[in-house]
Amino acid sequence: MSAHAAEHSGSAAPAAARRERELATERERVAALYARLDHLLERTRKDLRRTQREQTAGTPAAVTEQEAFVRLYTERLEALAAAQTRLCFGRLDLNDGTVRYIGRVGLADDDQQPLLTDWRAPAAEPFYQATSALPRGVVRRRHIVTEGREVSALEDDVLDLEALAEGGAGIGADDVQGGGVLMAALAARRTGRMHDIVATMQAEQDAIVRSPLPGMLVVEGGPGCGKTVVALHRAAYLLYTHREKLSRSGVLIVGPNRIFLHYIGQVLPALGETSAVLATPGQLYPGVDARAWEPDEIAVLKGSSRMADVITRAVRMRQRTPDGPRTLAVGSARVVMTPDMVAAARDRARATRRPHNVARRTFALTLLETLAQALAHETRVDLDNHRDVLISDLRDSRDVRREVNLAWMPLTPEQVIADLWARPDLLAAAAPHLRPDQRELLQRDRGAPWTPADVPLLDEAAEALGVDDEAERLAQAHASADRRAEMDYAQSVLEMTGTRGVSADQLIDRYATAGESISLADRAADDREWVYGHVVVDEAQELSPMAWRLLARRCPSLSMTVVGDLDQSSSSAGPATWSQALGDIAKARPGGEQRWRVERLTVNYRTPRPFMELAQDVMRALGREPSQVESIRDGVPPVLARLVGIDDVASLVKDIVVDPDLGRLGVITAPSLVGRVEEALRGVLPAGFVGDGDARLDAPVVVLTVQQAKGLEFDIVVVAEPGLIELESPRPGSDLYVALTRATRELIVAYTGDLPRVLETSAAAVA
């Protein structure tokens, strides 16, 4: 053995021994944390069972109290159970000698001494933010990698070089590492479901997650920068930091389609959060799940902010005056209703500035009062002494009821929008700014299925129509008095039971929903006037100005996290700036101050550099400079595969999926080819290999349009017939850009004819 080898062997042995001691220490610590978690789980289960079995006094208050504690223990149980996967993933060694473990939840012993710090707590922030240049009191940051409940590996980042030189905390020169945990997570095979990144979140991501709650935060960045997962972790952070406010009102998360919602659906529950409502733009109006397709040019027309005025005019047009006098039978008497009477009642109702269905009461009462005067004159009855009788007789008259309804009919949003599309005369009167050919595009039969672009118009109509709120106002007055009494009662309950970690407000809110089987999500989804505490919008560049108006009604405070990439917009009316994208709700305050702030993600964690470079070449070929992002992963070049026919995609995919360690493969193609490619694949692959429905990502192979693939990622992507994708796209180039940036391992561009012009210049380099 050489002298150098002997020296290396001599130094390696102590380092290995030290590493084994470190592993043993962390295994013991993590085992203790799981033991504490199991103890808390069992104690909470016992509390839940005891509360469920307890006999109460039988009074409504006692029953409600019991049900509130059942809900409290159930929520605690869910949060603790969700923390079992990767319970502890980090450790901080601080320069004051403190050791702090970081995990999915906070744990403490019976004396309330901290054992594990929740990743969202301020004390955990240095785990994500500390650097060697700015260590923030951290000597060493340790990543703890677990498989099940066992510690399998450690990775240390030494941040304080002086501590390293002193050899403190058992640190050696070989401990200066970093990046392995992140790269291992990025290289892992995809499962068809998004996972959280609490163990690997990077500093620029963490800074966005911990941004203050108020206002609109725009998170932009190119493909693969983790915009979606950052937004979801921000939702979890806000629910933790602002628990009392947001757990009552909830967080609304808007994703582009149902496939995407299924893909991200387990992230927040895995973080212990259940107070979030997930919806597509087509699900934001109660009772409607709009999925029907329509051409982009129609969706653009419907999404224009000018449609708000169209809806307003369409509603006002239903407030009619008769074209002449009407003689009405009221019992044995007759009374003449003139157009002037109706016009006066209409003007008075409009002057209230209340919605149509609410103002209808003012209209009816005013018209009845006028008709009562006419009826009193006709029957020679004293109006002051017989007003109630006269008005009662008018209400009983079929003629009067008919004319009141004809003049001011109670309406539903569905009626207004369906009539607008089905009746050219109504549309022409309500939308004089539209050309005849544009109005013709909007026409369709009554009863046609709703499209996502219809939903903001239904909501706009609902806003213009309103509902009679007299009963609701009375109920709210009673509720305010009841709330004050409940606060006193809830506080006394908490003091008697010694319950910690919950306020009187929270307990009352559990009273309010105790005994109800519906969740916050269900209650919010059924209530068009529900106001959310915060809204997260993914693929925000796709939303129309009308859709933004809807979201502003769901969250009037405009506390929003807006996630998107303007380069990936698929609409022919795709916005060039966020000011344009956010529409009327983003108008600057007086003095020019913007109502939003922008944070940019600059690192591409998903897309290997060769794939990203090809996608950027596509954008440049169209004369557009793409977002500047740095791909941190190398990879093999994309493959260009010329096929004889489109059905050959099936043979191509079949040859790939023989690998048992495949992960997930996505075929992205033009809308007109999806059905044909799916059929060809099912003909050559085993049953169940090709996904279907909203949960199709659970299968190894899936066929998607570019719209359906937005926000998703796959181990292998086959972009099938890029020329047809370009031909059928409202915004050629952007859709190819999206399709080419979905893969993490392999990218294959399969085509039968000529390559699209925007790919030709890259073909030689790729080949």
Side-chain angles (χ1 to χ4, degrees):
M1 178 183 297
S2 68
H4 176 76
E7 181 182 350
H8 177 76
S9 175
S11 62
R18 183 172 64 249
R19 208 67 185 164
E20 283 303 315
R21 289 195 300 271
E22 292 286 310
L23 272 169
T25 298
E26 301 302 12
R27 284 169 178 154
E28 183 179 348
R29 177 68 181 204
V30 170
L33 291 173
Y34 272 110
R36 179 60 178 171
L37 179 69
D38 290 340
H39 172 72
L40 294 174
L41 278 165
E42 183 56 31
R43 189 167 75 184
T44 306
R45 289 190 189 101
K46 287 180 179 178
D47 288 341
L48 177 59
R49 289 194 294 267
R50 185 192 69 248
T51 303
Q52 289 171 328
R53 291 195 301 263
E54 274 181 349
Q55 296 294 319
T56 70
T59 64
V63 171
T64 301
E65 175 190 330
Q66 181 186 44
E67 291 173 339
F69 276 104
V70 166
R71 183 175 289 271
L72 171 66
Y73 292 133
T74 300
E75 290 173 358
R76 283 183 178 174
L77 202 57
E78 289 174 351
L80 291 171
Q84 295 189 76
T85 302
R86 292 177 294 174
L87 171 65
C88 174
F89 53 79
R91 165 178 158 170
L92 292 174
D93 293 354
L94 306 179
N95 55 18
D96 63 358
T98 302
V99 174
R100 184 179 299 154
Y101 284 86
I102 311 299
R104 303 176 80 76
V105 295
L107 295 179
D109 61 21
D110 287 333
D111 295 325
Q112 297 305 304
Q113 294 302 307
L115 302 174
L116 184 66
T117 300
D118 192 299
W119 68 273
R120 295 166 289 190
E125 189 173 348
F127 183 77
Y128 302 104
Q129 291 291 328
T131 65
S132 56
L134 188 64
R136 301 181 65 166
V138 177
V139 175
R140 174 175 64 180
R141 171 175 50 222
R142 168 167 287 172
H143 298 272
I144 300 173
V145 182
T146 56
E147 295 179 5
R149 293 189 167 201
E150 294 295 322
V151 177
S152 59
L154 304 175
E155 180 181 299
D156 288 345
D157 304 326
V158 175
L159 305 181
D160 190 328
L161 296 180
E162 290 184 5
L164 173 63
E166 296 169 2
I171 301 171
D174 59 309
D175 292 313
V176 182
Q177 304 176 33
V181 173
L182 172 62
M183 297 309 293
L186 296 177
R189 298 296 186 261
R190 271 52 193 168
T191 65
R193 303 296 292 270
M194 179 178 279
H195 297 293
D196 64 75
I197 58 168
V198 288
T200 59
M201 188 158 51
Q202 301 302 290
E204 72 169 3
Q205 297 173 323
D206 179 74
I208 293 172
V209 166
R210 297 177 192 271
S211 293
L213 172 65
M216 295 184 73
L217 173 64
V218 176
V219 182
E220 66 174 4
C225 290
K227 299 183 295 295
T228 298
V229 74
V230 165
L232 293 174
H233 283 68
R234 175 162 165 76
Y237 170 79
L238 293 176
L239 283 164
Y240 171 86
T241 308
H242 305 276
R243 176 73 60 191
E244 290 198 12
K245 175 180 180 180
L246 296 183
S247 64
R248 293 197 299 268
S249 55
V251 171
L252 172 64
I253 297 175
V254 182
N257 54 59
R258 293 163 65 97
I259 299 171
F260 177 85
L261 294 185
H262 180 78
Y263 175 63
I264 68 170
Q266 67 183 24
V267 174
L268 285 174
L271 296 172
E273 298 298 347
T274 59
S275 298
V277 179
L278 275 63
T280 69
Q283 296 173 321
L284 294 175
Y285 180 79
V288 171
D289 184 2
R291 286 185 271 177
W293 177 86
E294 65 187 350
D296 179 70
E297 57 185 335
I298 298 178
V300 168
L301 283 175
K302 292 180 178 180
S304 167
S305 60
R306 299 181 71 176
M307 290 302 296
D309 293 333
V310 173
I311 302 303
T312 299
R313 281 194 291 270
V315 170
R316 288 174 69 90
M317 284 162 45
R318 307 298 280 268
Q319 300 163 4
R320 308 182 181 99
T321 56
D323 56 6
R326 298 286 190 271
T327 301
L328 312 177
V330 182
S332 59
R334 297 289 185 270
V335 63
V336 176
M337 182 186 76
T338 67
D340 287 344
M341 292 179 178
V342 178
R346 180 200 61 195
D347 293 345
R348 182 170 181 180
R350 286 179 175 177
T352 66
R353 298 186 177 277
R354 308 194 75 187
H356 174 91
N357 288 335
V358 180
R360 182 177 184 272
R361 185 169 185 271
T362 299
F363 169 78
L365 291 176
T366 303
L367 184 56
L368 286 175
E369 175 66 22
T370 304
L371 290 174
Q373 295 173 13
L375 184 59
H377 177 77
E378 184 70 25
T379 57
R380 292 181 170 77
V381 171
D382 181 64
L383 177 63
D384 292 336
N385 293 327
H386 297 85
R387 177 178 277 102
D388 291 345
V389 174
L390 292 170
I391 289 180
S392 177
D393 289 344
L394 288 165
R395 289 181 183 276
D396 290 340
S397 166
R398 174 186 289 184
D399 286 357
V400 172
R401 292 199 304 271
R402 181 190 68 243
E403 293 301 327
V404 169
N405 282 333
L406 286 174
W408 198 296
M409 180 76 73
L411 297 169
T412 68
E414 291 83 353
Q415 282 177 299
V416 171
I417 304 303
D419 287 349
L420 204 56
W421 302 154
R423 292 183 53 184
D425 60 320
L426 288 180
L427 183 57
H433 67 283
L434 293 179
R435 301 190 309 269
D437 61 309
Q438 291 177 319
R439 293 198 292 269
E440 187 175 353
L441 281 174
L442 293 172
Q443 290 176 20
R444 68 184 188 197
D445 293 337
R446 198 183 306 277
W450 299 114
T451 70
D454 287 323
V455 168
L457 305 185
L458 288 167
D459 198 74
E460 194 77 30
E463 194 72 10
L465 294 174
V467 293
D468 191 342
D469 60 352
E470 184 176 4
E472 183 180 347
R473 284 188 284 106
L474 289 173
Q476 287 178 347
H478 289 302
S480 296
D482 292 343
R483 180 87 179 186
R484 288 190 293 271
E486 287 171 351
M487 279 289 290
D488 294 338
Y489 177 71
Q491 190 60 49
S492 66
V493 168
L494 292 174
E495 291 170 358
M496 285 188 296
T497 59
T499 302
R500 299 177 180 178
V502 63
S503 68
D505 262 333
Q506 289 173 310
L507 192 57
I508 290 173
D509 291 327
R510 291 188 175 98
Y511 286 168
T513 57
E516 299 178 2
S517 60
I518 60 173
S519 64
L520 179 145
D522 292 329
R523 287 183 285 125
D526 290 338
D527 184 357
R528 196 194 72 82
E529 297 183 348
W530 187 279
V531 174
Y532 292 94
H534 193 75
V535 172
V536 176
V537 185
D538 207 335
E539 300 297 337
Q541 74 279 354
E542 304 299 337
L543 266 61
S544 69
M546 289 301 295
W548 284 113
R549 286 175 62 91
L550 182 156
L551 289 176
R553 287 191 285 271
R554 298 294 185 272
C555 186
S557 68
L558 297 186
S559 177
M560 297 184 183
T561 301
V562 175
V563 179
D565 179 10
L566 299 175
D567 289 338
Q568 297 185 56
S569 176
S570 292
S571 172
S572 60
T577 65
W578 283 112
S579 177
Q580 183 183 348
L582 298 176
D584 293 340
I585 70 166
K587 285 181 178 176
R589 297 184 179 94
E593 181 188 358
Q594 288 186 159
R595 302 189 70 178
W596 74 95
R597 61 193 189 279
V598 178
E599 296 285 351
R600 181 164 182 78
L601 292 168
T602 60
V603 179
N604 186 328
Y605 300 97
R606 174 182 68 220
T607 314
R609 191 172 293 108
F611 306 171
M612 195 65 215
E613 289 173 350
L614 176 62
Q616 289 174 328
D617 285 345
V618 166
M619 297 293 281
R620 292 189 183 103
L622 295 168
R624 289 155 52 190
E625 186 60 33
S627 302
Q628 294 303 306
V629 294
E630 178 186 357
S631 292
I632 65 171
R633 304 177 63 204
D634 289 318
V636 299
V639 174
L640 298 177
R642 184 162 190 150
L643 308 178
V644 175
I646 189 61
D647 293 341
D648 291 340
V649 170
S651 300
L652 178 68
V653 172
K654 181 182 179 183
D655 292 339
I656 297 172
V657 299
V658 295
D659 179 3
D661 196 26
L662 166 70
R664 290 293 185 272
L665 184 148
V667 179
I668 302 177
T669 191
S672 62
L673 291 180
V674 168
R676 181 174 171 180
V677 173
E678 281 185 339
E679 184 179 357
L681 286 170
R682 291 194 174 97
V684 300
L685 297 179
F689 249 60
V690 182
D692 190 24
D694 297 337
R696 67 186 69 186
L697 297 179
D698 294 341
V701 178
V702 63
V703 184
L704 301 168
T705 66
V706 175
Q707 287 292 317
Q708 293 171 327
K710 280 182 178 289
L712 307 182
E713 60 183 20
F714 304 91
D715 296 282
I716 303 170
V717 167
V718 177
V719 179
E721 216 59 298
L724 195 57
I725 291 176
E726 187 180 40
L727 183 65
E728 295 185 10
S729 170
R731 202 177 189 208
S734 290
D735 278 355
L736 274 183
Y737 181 70
V738 172
L740 294 170
T741 54
R742 301 301 100 190
T744 64
R745 289 170 49 202
E746 296 180 37
L747 173 63
I748 302 166
V749 180
Y751 61 102
T752 59
D754 295 330
L755 273 174
R757 179 180 54 80
V758 293
L759 282 173
E760 286 176 355
T761 55
S762 303
V766 171

